Amino acid sequence: MGFDFDDTLVDEQHFMQKRWQNVLQQYDFLSPNLHKTFFKIYEEKGPSYKFHLDDAFSELKIDIKNKEKVLLTLNSASGEELLFTGVLDFLKMLKANGILVGIITNGTQLRQEERIKKAGIYELLDFVCYGNGIREEEKPNDSVAAYLERLLAEHNIGPEEFLYVGN
């Protein structure tokens, strides 16, 4: 049984908000209202809006030249993982019943492995199939399909016996 990671096992928005909180605290010297203004815009426009930082900088009259530094800090920042209710117990139940359990994610190993470990489920997994970081890429793509084919053959599991759960 394979699972998507973000928004299936863990709350991705919680992860992103914690990362932003940590980063914006480091840049409060730009404006004491940066954090408050950013999250006001975040609440108004939603998580899929891509210009929260631009709008906060504009509203606070912060030089846009600072944006690149903030985003670089965000890219290297880690966050807090929040498993959805029941996930840990469910994975343990699957394992106790001898079911092969893993994650298929578009995220890169560099980013996702640390997150999966922080979520406290890494040790329960039989496999993790990492992507190349392209969110819009369909699963299974060619490399995921080849990986799954080898995995199922290794464990003598037919494709009709494998279930993938995603959001």
Side-chain angles (χ1 to χ4, degrees):
M1 187 164 196
F3 294 91
D4 187 16
F5 185 63
D6 287 314
D7 291 330
T8 300
L9 300 178
V10 297
D11 184 340
E12 184 179 20
Q13 292 314 309
H14 176 82
F15 172 72
M16 288 304 299
Q17 286 178 358
K18 290 297 183 182
R19 285 177 64 207
W20 273 114
Q21 285 173 353
N22 293 338
V23 168
L24 293 174
Q25 285 174 357
Q26 294 176 47
Y27 286 90
D28 65 355
F29 63 89
L30 294 173
S31 168
N33 294 321
L34 180 57
H35 183 273
K36 180 180 170 185
T37 303
F38 177 90
F39 279 104
K40 176 186 71 133
I41 294 165
Y42 189 92
E43 289 299 316
E44 289 171 2
K45 305 267 180 144
S48 59
Y49 182 68
K50 302 293 182 202
F51 303 100
H52 304 99
L53 190 61
D54 301 73
D55 291 359
F57 276 18
S58 176
E59 189 172 318
L60 296 168
K61 302 193 181 357
I62 298 172
D63 191 335
I64 198 69
K65 288 188 252 178
N66 293 293
K67 178 182 173 182
E68 189 175 328
K69 290 180 208 164
V70 173
L71 292 177
L72 282 172
T73 305
L74 179 71
N75 285 337
S76 63
S78 61
E80 176 184 298
E81 297 300 339
L82 178 64
L83 285 173
F84 287 120
T85 304
V87 165
L88 187 59
D89 290 336
F90 183 64
L91 294 178
K92 286 179 179 178
M93 185 268 308
L94 291 173
K95 294 298 295 170
N97 285 287
I99 296 174
L100 188 73
V101 175
I103 290 176
I104 302 168
T105 177
N106 286 341
T108 63
Q109 183 172 0
L110 182 66
R111 167 70 71 189
Q112 296 297 76
E113 186 171 73
E114 174 189 348
R115 293 186 60 208
I116 294 166
K117 287 178 180 178
K118 277 186 172 182
I121 60 174
Y122 190 81
E123 299 303 320
L124 294 172
L125 303 175
D126 298 299
F127 68 91
V128 180
C129 179
Y130 300 100
N132 58 13
I134 300 173
R135 281 183 148 290
E136 293 76 31
E137 188 171 72
E138 291 293 319
K139 286 182 248 184
N141 61 37
D142 291 341
S143 62
V144 170
Y147 177 88
L148 285 176
E149 202 172 288
R150 285 191 310 275
L151 179 75
L152 297 178
E154 227 175 78
H155 292 278
N156 200 25
I157 298 172
E160 70 282 353
E161 298 174 278
F162 185 81
L163 177 65
Y164 173 74
V165 179
N167 60 319

